Amino acid sequence: MSLRSIRQKLVTGETTPTILLEQLAGVIVAKDGQTGAYLSYDLESALAEAATADLSKPLGGIPIALKDNINVLGQPCTCGSKFLAENYQSPYDATVVKKLRAAGAIPFGRMNQDEFAMGSSTQNSALQTTRNPHDPERIPGGSSGGSAAAVADCTAFAALGSDTGGSIRQPASHCGVVGLKPTYGRVSRYGLVAFASSLDQIGPLTHTVEDAAMILQAIAGFDPADSTALDAPVPDYLATLNDGVKGMKLGVPKEYFGHGIDPGVRKNVEATIQKLASLGAEIIDISLPHTEHAVATYYVIAPAEASSNLSRFDGIRYGRRAANPTDILDLYKKSREQGFGPEVKRRIILGTYVLSSGYYDAYYGRAQKVRTLIRRDFETAFQQVDAILSPVAPTPAERIGSFGNDPLQEYLSDIFTLSANLAGIPGISIPCGVTDFDGGINLPVGLQILGPHLGEAKLLQIARAAEA
Ligand code: GLN
């Protein structure tokens, strides 16, 4: 059910928030044993909130699931890590959670993810495997894999995820749902456990484009608790949703359609672009010349910021503390060695290296310069076009285990999503078809639409036209 139809049923009294939650819990019990999207949920406290839900509010009485790196008062927040899995409870609500509550929603369910959001498969979760509802042998994508899989599996009506380099859009694409990464600063990051602070952004994963608009409406806006939150008015995202694409200029970057794209992905994305043309959009060939440097740039900047952000996990204040240390340094070392998984350690080591004296200019400083070039590519493009169309990922969902011990293969799968984070621009992934026949299973393919800073209303409008 879309959020609109749930709201309809709640407002007309056809169902109640309590019945809705109890039914949802039943579906989770029946289905999530196979999918593994949920790390935990607290039905009792959600039912208490349901009893007093205000149905006059835009998301009144509707349960919304949360990636397990978003703090909800009194709940676990594991970040998919052993470090926080045993004895951490959030002491406060993230701003997005406060805003969801203010819109009447009930935060319900903690969704699996790659550890500290590092990954594109959810296979880096230290806690459990999440499977793609379209084929249990495949990954759901990541890092917000639990959020995407639950929406696709109909064990959540909608979810929040976080996107540092594609972690909302790519799992949405792999699971056949809608995923929106807002402009950097559009949504407060306060209460999101930081991975790479200059790239992180929270956004919705939903069944429909309208649902994404409804959730963005609730969570967007200024927040004095996040110094990077934008103090810009929040438009009415639903008002322009159905205005169509007639007369719009949509750019197709040649760098996003080169070698290595799965034929099923290419076919569906190109067919959708043709559909948008037939609806009156003008399709324009463009170039984003620094695209090929995005992966290298991101995988210097993101680990550098992560190595700094994750230094707070030392066994003193948060989560796991190693037993029997010989001294305080030993306590730090043992706690970090035992608490972090291999991908997180790899990022910390890489990030510390690129920030170290003697290497800072060669790696981190240079990556920041290339980041500026990537941002300028978009600025130039948006002088010419309203939005940019591309695939979300070069392939549909890979088989579980297929990245093996080769992290570079997993990094390369982010090629089409990283640039939006480096440039700070918004992007949306919407289902645009399925691959023809892959071992008898049709796998979802996503279309990515990128827009200029604060261009969410237009993105949603284009996405809605494509969806229709
Ligand atoms: N896959 C990218 C990474 O591993 C992006 C992750 C994300 O957006 N959180 O860093």
Side-chain angles (χ1 to χ4, degrees):
M1 283 194 290
S2 68
L3 297 185
R4 177 205 273 279
S5 60
I6 299 168
R7 192 166 148 65
Q8 187 69 21
K9 287 192 198 315
L10 286 169
V11 169
T12 57
E14 207 178 307
T15 188
T16 68
T18 304
I19 294 172
L20 196 66
L21 257 173
E22 280 168 348
Q23 287 175 336
L24 183 61
V27 178
I28 295 170
V29 169
K31 296 180 81 178
D32 199 56
Q34 153 125 338
T35 303
Y38 279 81
L39 289 172
S40 64
Y41 54 88
D42 181 350
L43 184 58
E44 211 176 307
S45 71
L47 284 171
E49 286 180 55
T52 58
D54 181 351
L55 298 182
S56 69
K57 295 194 167 155
L59 300 173
I62 301 178
I64 309 274
L66 301 166
K67 186 176 183 176
D68 213 14
N69 59 357
I70 298 171
N71 281 281
V72 180
L73 176 67
Q75 290 192 10
C77 186
T78 68
C79 297
S81 178
K82 283 194 285 186
F83 223 116
L84 295 170
E86 283 153 26
N87 58 0
Y88 181 77
Q89 264 200 355
S90 298
Y92 67 105
D93 273 343
T95 298
V96 288
V97 173
K98 280 203 190 118
K99 284 182 176 273
L100 282 180
R101 291 193 203 277
I106 302 170
F108 177 68
R110 314 290 312 175
M111 313 316 295
N112 198 20
Q113 57 167 96
D114 287 300
E115 185 174 5
F116 287 104
M118 298 174 189
S120 318
S121 65
T122 312
Q123 295 183 110
N124 296 333
S125 168
L127 306 179
Q128 74 188 30
T129 300
T130 300
R131 298 174 181 278
N132 192 314
H134 295 269
D135 176 359
E137 298 308 315
R138 291 182 189 262
I139 59 167
S143 61
S144 312
S147 297
V151 175
D153 212 19
C154 296
T155 54
F157 299 114
L160 294 188
S162 68
D163 190 313
T164 304
S167 280
I168 291 173
R169 290 160 287 157
Q170 187 257 24
S173 175
H174 283 0
C175 290
V177 302
V178 174
L180 170 67
K181 181 201 95 73
T183 305
Y184 182 75
R186 177 72 292 185
V187 174
S188 168
R189 293 180 293 110
Y190 182 69
L192 168 69
V193 177
F195 162 13
S197 307
S198 77
L199 302 161
D200 298 340
Q201 190 60 193
I202 297 172
L205 294 107
T206 56
H207 286 295
T208 69
V209 174
E210 184 180 40
D211 289 358
M214 285 168 74
I215 293 192
L216 182 64
Q217 199 75 54
I219 62 174
F222 180 62
D223 178 12
D226 172 1
S227 62
T228 61
L230 294 170
D231 193 0
V234 179
D236 181 348
Y237 295 114
L238 293 168
T240 47
L241 199 60
N242 291 305
D243 286 0
V245 290
K246 210 177 167 90
M248 273 204 207
K249 294 189 166 121
L250 303 179
V252 177
K254 63 171 187 277
E255 293 82 2
Y256 284 57
F257 290 84
H259 295 300
I261 298 186
D262 177 273
V265 170
R266 182 189 296 274
K267 196 177 119 192
N268 283 293
V269 170
E270 286 179 349
T272 310
I273 293 173
Q274 284 320 308
K275 280 262 167 64
L276 287 166
S278 72
L279 292 171
E282 187 185 343
I283 307 299
I284 298 173
D285 291 326
I286 60 164
S287 173
L288 298 166
H290 296 93
T291 301
E292 63 169 317
H293 302 299
V295 174
T297 304
Y298 173 89
Y299 280 97
V300 170
I301 292 173
E305 294 185 14
S307 83
S308 169
N309 276 324
L310 270 60
S311 65
R312 74 193 58 172
F313 298 102
D314 56 8
I316 302 294
R317 178 150 179 203
Y318 302 105
R320 190 188 184 97
R321 177 176 296 180
N324 306 321
T326 52
D327 57 24
I328 187 139
L329 196 60
D330 192 47
L331 172 66
Y332 297 159
K333 285 185 183 171
K334 284 210 176 104
S335 299
R336 288 167 74 78
E337 189 193 329
Q338 295 165 10
F340 290 136
E343 182 60 28
V344 176
K345 287 179 183 162
R346 184 180 294 123
R347 305 276 181 117
I348 291 172
I349 292 169
L350 178 62
T352 305
Y353 177 77
V354 300
L355 288 174
S356 59
S357 86
Y359 296 101
Y360 182 98
D361 289 340
Y363 296 110
Y364 186 72
R366 193 174 285 189
Q368 291 290 19
K369 288 180 186 160
V370 182
R371 181 178 189 172
T372 302
L373 297 176
I374 290 169
R375 202 186 61 229
R376 282 194 198 139
D377 279 357
F378 284 106
E379 282 165 10
T380 308
F382 289 127
Q383 283 168 8
Q384 218 190 328
V385 297
D386 294 292
I388 293 169
L389 307 175
S390 82
V392 179
T395 66
E398 305 281 356
R399 286 180 193 282
I400 288 176
S402 64
F403 293 122
N405 287 325
D406 187 356
L408 190 58
Q409 284 312 313
E410 189 162 349
Y411 299 172
L412 285 171
S413 74
D414 299 334
I415 174 93
F416 301 141
T417 49
L418 301 173
S419 295
N421 301 74
L422 291 166
I425 60 172
I428 191 168
S429 168
I430 60 159
C432 76
V434 291
T435 55
D436 283 341
F437 195 73
D438 192 314
I441 287 164
N442 295 327
L443 297 170
V445 174
L447 169 77
Q448 177 172 243
I449 313 170
L450 301 172
H453 268 248
L454 296 178
E456 283 84 358
K458 209 175 262 181
L459 280 194
L460 289 160
Q461 186 180 330
I462 299 164
R464 176 71 195 110
E467 176 187 59

